[in-house]
Amino acid sequence: MDTKELLKKVRKIEIKTRRLSDHIFGGEYHSTFKGRGMTFSEVRQYQFGDDVRNIDWNVTARYNEPYIKVFEEERELTMMLMVDVSGSEMFGTEQQFKNEVVTEIAATLAFSATQNNDKIGLILFSDKVELYIPPKKGRSHVLRIIRELIEFEPESKQTNLAEALKFMQNVMKKKAIVFVLSDFIADDYHQTMKIVSGKHDVTGIRVYDKREEEIPNLGLVQMQDEETGELMLVNTSSKKVRLNYGKFYHEKVEYYKESFNKSGAGSIDCRVDESYVKKMLGYFKRRG
């Protein structure tokens, strides 16, 4: 992709996702993810309706009229976006590939965090950590993250979520808001998820295509595993083949849901042909 085309794509995503974060997600994000507490800001004269418990009696005695203490939320939060860039993300039978929807969701979250003056970091992972961008603030930083999400080419096509979670745990010493964006066709991350969720506020966003849920009856079809590169001839007219695939897929989904729920982490399911806006807004409102 040449620079001109890349910038055009970045700008297109910025316009769409920034509008969403400005008008919809910014306030919901703020009310869902609280700061570390309230810190003293200033004193001002008492006004009708103020909480009398906040009266500063020393200042009140000095000026012989009531003054109250004003507190503000101490935010300084950090959002970490963990994005799966394995081969299975390059799939889509509707208008968009899964990785394109993931990019839009990640950008919307990043702009929502920026609107609330929070830091944003990025981890791109396959079966290893492919790229780490440390958390920073600002629009230019978010645009860099979007650029990487659009044009990054991973070295591996396979998936190891546990390794990515361990890496994140090591680099993030303080509590962070963590969004894991993946199709979660992965194994053996339950225990790691439990440890990570004990320290960080974790939400899994599963992005999937409806054609992944079951194989249609199309006769003899050549298929390729995007993660291993293996080519195989599959008899989709066989009921046993379709049932075995369905069982395999739904076991992965159940493992994801169980791992996140039992760890106390949140989870959102977003199908590529459905509105991720409604799904995410519903999740923020339930949590807020």
Side-chain angles (χ1 to χ4, degrees), residues 193-205:
M193 176 59 66
K194 198 173 178 182
I195 295 166
V196 170
S197 295
K199 178 179 178 182
H200 303 284
D201 188 334
V202 184
T203 300
I205 302 179

Side-chain angles (χ1 to χ4, degrees), residues 35-36 73-78 116-119 137:
R36 290 194 290 266
E73 184 183 358
E74 187 184 359
R75 279 195 68 86
E76 191 60 39
L77 300 178
T78 299
N116 286 279
N117 203 33
D118 294 340
K119 294 178 182 176
K137 296 181 182 182

Side-chain angles (χ1 to χ4, degrees), residues 72-87:
E72 61 183 23
E73 184 183 358
E74 187 184 359
R75 279 195 68 86
E76 191 60 39
L77 300 178
T78 299
M79 176 194 288
M80 181 58 70
L81 297 168
M82 298 183 63
V83 178
D84 182 354
V85 291
S86 63

Side-chain angles (χ1 to χ4, degrees), residues 274-288:
E274 295 176 335
S275 169
Y276 65 80
V277 175
K278 288 181 181 176
K279 296 289 183 75
M280 291 169 63
L281 202 54
Y283 174 73
F284 284 168
K285 285 183 181 295
R286 285 194 303 274
R287 283 204 44 172

